[in-house]
Amino acid sequence: MTLAPSPRTWLAAALLLPLAAFAWNWGDTYRLSRSGEEWLIPIQGYDPRDLLRGHYVQYRYDWPVAEPNEDESRWEPAYASALCVLGEAPHIRSVRALSALPGRSRASDDKDCAIVLRATLGARREVRGLDSGIFYASQTEAITLSRRLADPKLQGLVRVRVRPDGVMRPVALEFRPRPAR
């Protein structure tokens, strides 16, 4: 005599399987978002916030650009698909675009990189690869942060967590006195 599972058992399994998959997916995404190194990136602030769309501060990265080699033309980090970061976490000394020149492999280019940042397509039009980003905050915090970003005496820094695959996510905004140039 064999006991076959009842229809209720199959129904319960069918309902629990998507929930288990969702829980596993959420847990894996959460673990991935908490992994990686934190880096401080200088930013220039601008904040065309729309209070109907949410509370956030918008900014542009102010990359400390390394001087190009003789065989490279002047490049803009905003248009690079990947940046080689030189320095030691969390402080960036300089960045340079990873080479797409003929005869040079990208693997040989990133040997001296502390970390490689990769451009991602944002879910919002305000996030443009390695050019700009947004930081979500409460309404009062967003107003305070945008005022501090507008202060010419302060240098804004975004603390990002860079995952092993090079994707970065903003964690916090910090401010320091602007260095004399």
Side-chain angles (χ1 to χ4, degrees), residues 39 41 61-66 75-86 92 94-99 106 109-110 112-120 128-132 162 165-168:
W39 290 82
I41 303 172
Y61 296 108
D62 190 13
W63 298 108
V65 178
W75 58 275
E76 289 292 323
Y79 301 111
S81 61
L83 291 178
C84 170
V85 174
L86 304 172
I92 294 176
S94 64
V95 298
R96 63 179 167 78
L98 288 180
S99 179
R106 187 171 261 187
D109 240 11
D110 64 2
D112 59 340
C113 300
I115 197 160
V116 175
L117 300 178
R118 306 208 185 283
T120 58
R128 293 189 186 100
L130 297 170
D131 179 38
S132 64
V162 181
D165 62 357
V167 174
M168 59 183 180

Side-chain angles (χ1 to χ4, degrees), residues 17-33:
L17 185 63
L19 289 175
F22 174 74
W24 179 83
N25 189 21
W26 180 85
D28 190 50
T29 302
Y30 182 80
R31 180 196 54 80
L32 190 59
S33 73

Side-chain angles (χ1 to χ4, degrees), residues 25-85:
N25 189 21
W26 180 85
D28 190 50
T29 302
Y30 182 80
R31 180 196 54 80
L32 190 59
S33 73
R34 298 290 183 237
S35 67
E37 282 185 306
E38 288 192 6
W39 290 82
L40 288 171
I41 303 172
I43 57 173
Q44 299 173 356
Y46 69 101
D47 191 16
R49 228 178 30 249
D50 180 355
L51 294 179
L52 296 176
R53 289 175 45 197
H55 306 296
Y56 59 88
V57 175
Q58 192 168 352
Y59 54 85
R60 288 187 202 278
Y61 296 108
D62 190 13
W63 298 108
V65 178
E67 290 301 317
N69 297 330
E70 313 84 44
D71 58 344
E72 296 176 358
S73 61
R74 187 72 180 152
W75 58 275
E76 289 292 323
Y79 301 111
S81 61
L83 291 178
C84 170
V85 174

